[in-house]
């Protein structure tokens, strides 16, 4: 049986968006040939789309090299997004207080498909550049924030996502054994928070607490990253966990209009 066509779908717009999504942290500037290769679009379509996006202010074009890169318009869209997401505004006072108490990097994350995305970040003085940028996406199963959100879901759903969602090996010590990840999620369900170590950066420990919605599920989390050299498990348990749990709990009642 032939699949019913979506008459509201605009193919040309989808191609333009595909071209915009070709840019990421590894590919920040591209020629028409690069764009065509990366998107799979033919050279003629790529040229028309890139030129239109340049004229409309979505792409900057180097007058000498003719290479394209994201424009300031992307920041304007991000600015509009932050105003549209009430959780960001509601969580900010708690995140600031937590960051000042701990002197460590504090993040607000939300679930984005099978990934988490950082929607607010308060870095400390020694944070890597990548740890200061909002909008970064990571596989949910790799991250303490993703695992703690999943831990609030029904067992059957937890099992399904552990088996099917992607995992990426960021470091030699990144956990890629799905049974071990499942155990970590079950532990988070019991404790109410999740911890990871060496998953994205060696010698870094991630601690996350879920922001629970009115249905008992979490789609957001407060996450903190600390150095494993300075923060042992006992210190984390005594000096970090109580504060991050309090912050997530303080945000949660206000997030009822968000979920």
């Amino acid at each position: 049986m032939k699949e019913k066509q979506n008459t509201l779908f605009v193919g040309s717009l989808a191609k333009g968006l595909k071209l915009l999504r070709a840019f990421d942290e590894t590919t920040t500037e591209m020629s028409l040939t690069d764009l065509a290769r990366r998107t799979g679009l033919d050279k003629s379509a790529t040229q028309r789309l890139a030129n239109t996006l340049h004229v409309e202010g979505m792409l900057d074009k180097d007058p000498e090299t003719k290479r394209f890169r994201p424009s300031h318009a992307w920041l304007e869209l991000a600015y509009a997004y932050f105003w549209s997401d009430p959780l960001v505004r509601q969580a900010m006072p708690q995140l600031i207080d937590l960051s000042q108490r701990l002197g460590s990097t504090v993040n607000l994350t939300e679930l984005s498909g099978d990934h988490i995305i950082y929607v607010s970040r308060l870095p400390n003085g020694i944070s890597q550049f990548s740890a200061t940028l909002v909008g970064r996406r990571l596989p949910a199963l790799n991250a303490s924030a993703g695992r703690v959100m999943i831990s609030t879901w029904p067992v059957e759903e937890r099992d399904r996502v552990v088996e099917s969602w992607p995992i990426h090996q960021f470091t030699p010590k990144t956990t890629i054994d799905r049974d071990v990840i499942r155990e970590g999620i079950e532990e988070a369900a019991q404790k109410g928070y999740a911890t990871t170590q060496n998953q994205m950066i060696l010698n870094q420990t991630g601690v996350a607490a879920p922001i629970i919605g009115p249905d008992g599920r979490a789609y957001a989390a407060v996450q903190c990253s600390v150095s494993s050299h300075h923060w042992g498990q006992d210190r984390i348990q005594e000096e970090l966990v109580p504060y991050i749990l309090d912050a997530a709990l303080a945000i949660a009642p206000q997030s009822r209009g968000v979920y």
Side-chain angles (χ1 to χ4, degrees), residues 105-248:
T105 298
V106 173
N107 303 301
L108 175 67
T109 67
E110 295 183 6
L111 200 63
S112 178
D114 52 20
H115 282 56
I116 64 161
I117 188 165
Y118 292 98
V119 295
S120 186
R121 315 196 76 173
L122 279 70
N124 64 11
I126 60 173
S127 295
Q128 296 185 10
F129 179 63
S130 62
T132 68
L133 301 176
V134 297
R136 188 185 186 196
R137 298 176 80 246
L138 296 171
L141 294 180
N142 282 107
S144 58
R147 295 182 189 181
V148 83
M149 285 186 258
I150 295 168
S151 76
T152 66
W153 301 357
V155 175
E156 298 79 8
E157 196 169 354
R158 298 203 296 257
D159 288 339
R160 179 180 60 79
V161 302
V162 168
E163 290 300 323
S164 61
W165 282 13
I167 301 169
H168 180 75
Q169 185 153 14
F170 292 93
T171 78
K173 295 184 177 181
T174 297
T175 303
I176 58 175
D177 186 320
R178 293 182 184 270
D179 288 333
V180 174
I181 292 174
R182 180 182 288 104
E183 291 172 3
I185 291 173
E186 295 306 316
E187 182 179 0
Q190 295 296 321
K191 292 184 174 181
Y193 66 93
T195 60
T196 57
Q197 195 170 35
N198 300 313
Q199 295 303 293
M200 259 62 72
I201 300 174
L202 289 173
N203 301 314
Q204 184 182 82
T205 299
V207 185
I211 299 173
I212 306 293
D215 61 354
R217 297 165 62 102
Y219 296 96
V222 179
Q223 188 268 348
C224 183
S225 298
V226 295
S227 168
S228 303
H229 293 305
H230 301 114
W231 289 79
Q233 289 302 314
D234 288 343
R235 186 184 178 193
I236 287 173
Q237 182 66 36
E238 294 174 4
E239 300 180 27
L240 194 158
V241 169
Y243 291 119
I244 199 169
L245 288 173
D246 284 348

Side-chain angles (χ1 to χ4, degrees), residues 15 18-20 22 34-42 46:
K15 290 179 181 178
K18 186 176 185 180
L19 192 145
L20 291 177
D34 297 331
L35 282 166
R37 184 186 306 114
R38 194 166 172 85
T39 61
L41 299 171
D42 63 67
T46 301

Side-chain angles (χ1 to χ4, degrees), residues 33-104:
T33 300
D34 297 331
L35 282 166
R37 184 186 306 114
R38 194 166 172 85
T39 61
L41 299 171
D42 63 67
K43 186 72 173 289
S44 177
T46 301
Q47 185 176 33
R48 294 194 304 272
L49 291 168
N51 180 68
T52 301
L53 290 168
H54 172 57
V55 171
E56 290 298 315
M58 294 302 299
L59 291 177
D60 286 339
K61 183 178 180 181
D62 189 293
E64 295 183 3
T65 66
K66 309 301 182 185
R67 295 172 69 84
F68 295 90
R69 66 182 181 88
S71 71
H72 287 159
W74 292 40
L75 291 177
E76 294 176 29
L77 291 175
Y79 181 74
Y81 171 79
F82 292 133
W83 279 103
S84 74
D85 186 344
L87 183 60
V88 176
R89 182 170 62 255
Q90 293 166 1
M92 188 56 69
Q94 298 298 329
L95 299 179
I96 292 173
D97 181 67
L98 183 63
S99 177
Q100 292 175 343
R101 283 178 179 271
L102 301 178
S104 301

